[in-house]
């Protein structure tokens, strides 16, 4: 793209739509945007693969959240289907906002997410979850 171009690529649109599905707390839409054998890795946690494993991890987070807001600070993609995001993911749990600073990479192929990696500080998240669920 020329310098200063504001054109949104299809992969960035898919990433934004995926984030919207989270904010809508739409578990079916989230899973429908992923390939059946999608790999999901919350680094430093263990990686997950496939809809059943991913659903078992994300469904409780969605269910316990009164509201979800993911603020995108930066978003960019490359020509191989990778979308890079810098975000603050916010979850309202028991009337307490949990904010998680995240950098992530979503990889898309044929319109579906095939790999999703998010990097964040696990200790910060665990401490915030303890406070929200105490």
């Amino acid at each position: 793209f020329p310098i200063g171009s504001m054109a949104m690529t299809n992969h960035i649109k898919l990433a934004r739509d995926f984030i919207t599905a989270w904010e809508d707390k739409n578990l079916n839409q989230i899973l429908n945007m992923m390939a059946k054998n999608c790999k999901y890795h919350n680094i430093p946690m263990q990686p997950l693969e496939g809809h059943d494993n991913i659903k078992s991890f994300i469904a409780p987070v969605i269910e316990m959240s009164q509201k979800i807001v993911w603020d995108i600070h930066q978003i960019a993609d490359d020509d191989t289907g990778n979308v890079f995001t810098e975000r603050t993911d916010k979850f309202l749990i028991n009337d307490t906002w949990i904010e998680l600073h995240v950098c992530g990479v979503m990889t898309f192929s044929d319109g579906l997410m095939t790999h999703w990696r998010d990097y964040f500080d696990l200790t910060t998240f665990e401490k915030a979850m303890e406070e929200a669920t105490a």
Side-chain angles (χ1 to χ4, degrees), residues 19-36:
I19 289 168
T20 297
W22 271 91
E23 292 180 332
D24 291 343
K25 297 175 54 177
N26 188 335
L27 181 60
N28 288 333
Q29 181 64 20
I30 291 166
L31 293 171
N32 287 338
M33 295 185 73
M34 295 178 167
K36 294 289 183 207

Side-chain angles (χ1 to χ4, degrees), residues 96-109:
T96 301
W97 280 104
I98 294 175
E99 294 191 10
L100 192 59
H101 302 286
V102 178
C103 282
V105 181
M106 300 172 190
T107 304
F108 294 93
S109 179

Side-chain angles (χ1 to χ4, degrees), residues 36-130:
K36 294 289 183 207
N37 63 342
C38 184
K39 292 176 179 61
Y40 172 39
H41 195 179
N42 264 327
I43 297 157
M45 302 167 82
Q46 290 298 312
L48 303 170
E49 184 172 349
H51 281 200
D52 290 344
N53 292 323
I54 293 169
K55 180 179 181 178
S56 68
F57 181 78
I58 66 176
V61 175
I62 291 170
E63 289 166 10
M64 75 172 66
S65 298
Q66 296 158 268
K67 189 169 179 158
I68 298 172
V69 177
W70 287 8
D71 292 331
I72 301 170
H73 306 297
Q74 307 294 331
I75 190 165
D77 68 345
D78 65 17
D79 58 2
T80 63
N82 293 302
V83 178
F84 303 85
T85 60
E86 177 190 16
R87 313 182 313 264
T88 302
D89 295 358
K90 298 185 269 192
F91 303 88
L92 183 62
I93 299 173
N94 296 329
D95 297 318
T96 301
W97 280 104
I98 294 175
E99 294 191 10
L100 192 59
H101 302 286
V102 178
C103 282
V105 181
M106 300 172 190
T107 304
F108 294 93
S109 179
D110 298 323
L112 293 174
M113 182 182 298
T114 58
H115 205 154
W116 178 22
R117 298 167 301 288
D118 274 346
Y119 300 81
F120 64 94
D121 182 66
L122 183 59
T123 304
T124 300
F125 178 70
E126 289 175 337
K127 186 175 178 183
M129 283 295 287
E130 279 178 28

